[in-house]
Amino acid sequence: MNRLESFHCRTIFKTAIVVAIAAILCGGPSMAATLAVKSGESIQAAVARAAAGDRIEVYPGTYHETVYIDRDGINLQGIVEAGKWPVLDGESSLNDGILVSGHGVTIERMWVRRYKGNGIMTQGANNYRILRNVVEGPCFYAIFPQFGKNGLVAYNVVHGSDDAAIYIGMSDGVDVVHNESYASIIGIESENSRNILIADNYIHDNVMGIATTLLPGLPVKSADNLIIRSNYIVHNNAKNWAPPGAITAGAIPGVGMLILGTDHTVVDGNVIRDHDSAGLIIAETNFFVPTPDDKMDPFPDNAQLLPNVFLNNGSQPAGAIKDLVEAAGAGRGVDVLATGKGHDNCVAERAAITSLGINRYADCAPTATSAAVLTMRPKDPVVNPAYTPQQKGRLTYLAVCTGCHTYDSKLIGPPMVVVKALYGKDALRLADWIAKPTHKRPDYPEMPPQNYLPADVRLAVATYILNELSH
Amino acid sequence: MSFAATFNHCVTAFCILLLAGHFGAQAQTRLEDSAKDALYDCPMPPLDTAAATATKLSAAQWDKNKLGCAADLWFALAERKTSDPMLKMQALLATTSYIDHVNLLASLDLYGVHQPEWTARIHHAAEHGKVLEERLGALPVDDANVLAARALYRLTWPAKIADTKTQLAESGAALELFAKAVALDPKALHGNALWLLGRLYYDLPEFAGGDPAKGIKLLEEACHSTPQNVSLLRYSAYVFIQERDVPRGKQRLADMLKMKPDPANLQLFTDELKGASELAERIGDLSLARQITVKRDRLFTAHPELLRRLGSAANMHGGVDPITGKDD
């Protein structure tokens, strides 16, 4: 149903009795409208017209834009016709494909490619669903939900990320299931997140397959209750191309899975095969990332290594793993390599795997299984907070600005201290400039216009930069 | 004179070659700019005042350029007076202190924004350190302080610039040197040798010489012999908390709260207080955390030059919590 038909429904049927009939005629009790976007039109323009709960159908064609969704309940549906997809193409010049800060948003069947930052990112959004998309690089993150609760990331095909292709950041209650992830530095990563299910995915030909991490220096200080189950984690042996010093430069090639400092991590029923360095590494955070952060417990506690299939791992260990294996006096890599730190960890089928560093692990109970846990998402949608302008400003700064700017250093754009000095307290002027930037300095690239951000969000982020941001 | 210049350019060229294929002109520009920051002016003063100048520079523990220059001056002095082992040890300690400072800056730079600068600085200092450590190693008689200084250097230099194999080998060498130093004098290097030996045993993986139980025992011994070592107190608090002995960990934090700062080591003191307040917060003692933070803030007020060690956001990570607005 298109927007006009929906309006027609809304206008004619006004009484309470007829509203019930209208709900049937209009396709649902919320009377959501459907907006169509055809090739040559703007998806963002449709988002701007949409009301909360509306469905936006995007038809095959190639769209060069950033789509920013800050309304609740928007259903962005790609329509695939005879094998032709709606393609959102950043042409390696735009930063982000789809940015979501509204709650209850669905992004489905979109082909997103060549965005320098994120393919699809949710920032502070709850109750989201990212389904059946194709996201290809080069990009930094293909699918990156951050600071959200109750999410579903399923049936996506992702590849070509310079960091984690599917990156669950500081989230709670997310299922990552039935995805294919390949040719990225990390296939799937859950960072400082709680209640996460990573199941039934096919993860292959990355530098590293899956990582569950507790990283220092982030606002969330724990990572707890993760199940990694029934995934096919195969041949993640690509060479690491991250720049020296970047945190992903530490991603070790040839590793199926890494558990770094996360607690209550269950590894159950996966097939982990053909990794040059190791099938699974379990370590304390500061073993690989020594940034001081005493607010978090860096040890991996209560890990359960339940029966998995380990095949042909450790045949040609590389880099740090090679060195560690040699230090341990082992002739080759192993299925499971642990640094030995942590409490109350256990392993099943100890005799079936090759291992180092698990002498202090107990035997898991023979009956232990994660099978009863079908989802980590809450039974009911979580409450959706309405963010204040201040929160919107901070969220947008983190999601959009920090891809190119830091507070006091040159990253790609100028440091924010310079911006603060230039604009003083004039947030309106900065907000206007964000929408229509001009090339000011020969030693910096021109900033892409951020005019997809609504005026209130631009003002919120400008206000945050000038009034609150500090070091 | 710019000591870091030659190596600095070499590193920059290497990084650009490595990155050009993937990150393009923007990354190249950033790398060039970052590597330029490794340069610092460090003119050699007249010989009779050089030691005093170096001592004065070493006191600025918050200033990477002054620390770098101090290390360079001590090295130049040690090279001129080749027969003075104590001067060499002083130079090695100054070099280690500078590398340790840069290591921490690099660790706080989680997304590698300044990586070329850190790498260039450490490589430059490590060239001097290698010379000094080898010359001290060739001395005919073992001295506990010299052994401990060598151990400290070998533990410190590879952390950010060497591969795991080298780090493990150097850690193993440091472990032996510390053990030898402690056997000669348990209070070697003002008691630091003993607790760092304990820390090494605790930190190393079990298959690479680690022995947590032995490490904890040594840390306890060190706490008895040098109870006023702020780094030891903070680290042993961390270990007790990791080992789920929260009361003893908390006691160490409370001890830190009572400590008077050493005016010569205020940066170190405030750094350790940061860790202590974070540990107190982790174990849920917000009152203790607040008291430690207040103590630290007073020092910042009195000494605004001290580094606060704050993180900032980069690449969509870090900085303040966008929901609460609180720093991490």
Side-chain angles (χ1 to χ4, degrees), chain A residues 44 434-437 448-455 458:
Chain A
Q44 186 62 43
I434 288 169
K436 294 178 200 166
Q450 311 295 321
N451 51 3
Y452 56 87
L453 295 170
R458 290 200 302 269

Side-chain angles (χ1 to χ4, degrees), chain A residues 386-426:
Chain A
Y387 291 123
T388 64
Q390 202 175 24
Q391 288 169 325
K392 277 186 187 175
R394 293 189 206 117
L395 285 163
T396 308
Y397 178 76
L398 193 62
V400 178
C401 308
T402 64
C404 293
H405 300 271
T406 69
Y407 181 73
D408 58 1
S409 308
K410 180 178 181 180
L411 191 59
I412 291 169
M416 283 301 173
V417 282
V418 174
V419 176
K420 284 165 79 90
L422 274 174
Y423 287 87
K425 297 290 177 191
D426 196 346

Side-chain angles (χ1 to χ4, degrees), chain A residues 249-331:
Chain A
I252 302 158
V255 174
M257 192 188 304
L258 170 70
I259 296 174
L260 191 67
T262 59
D263 293 339
H264 293 98
T265 310
V266 179
V267 182
D268 186 7
N270 302 282
V271 174
I272 304 171
R273 63 177 297 177
D274 300 330
H275 294 98
D276 289 347
S277 291
L280 166 64
I281 295 175
I282 308 175
E284 66 276 22
T285 295
N286 40 9
F287 189 76
F288 287 113
V289 189
T291 303
D293 188 344
D294 278 325
K295 282 186 189 172
M296 57 176 228
D297 175 352
F299 287 5
D301 298 323
N302 301 93
Q304 293 184 64
L305 312 185
L306 300 180
N308 295 277
V309 175
F310 287 95
L311 282 173
N312 188 34
N313 296 299
S315 58
Q316 291 180 299
I321 303 305
K322 181 171 181 274
D323 298 339
L324 289 170
V325 166
E326 283 177 0

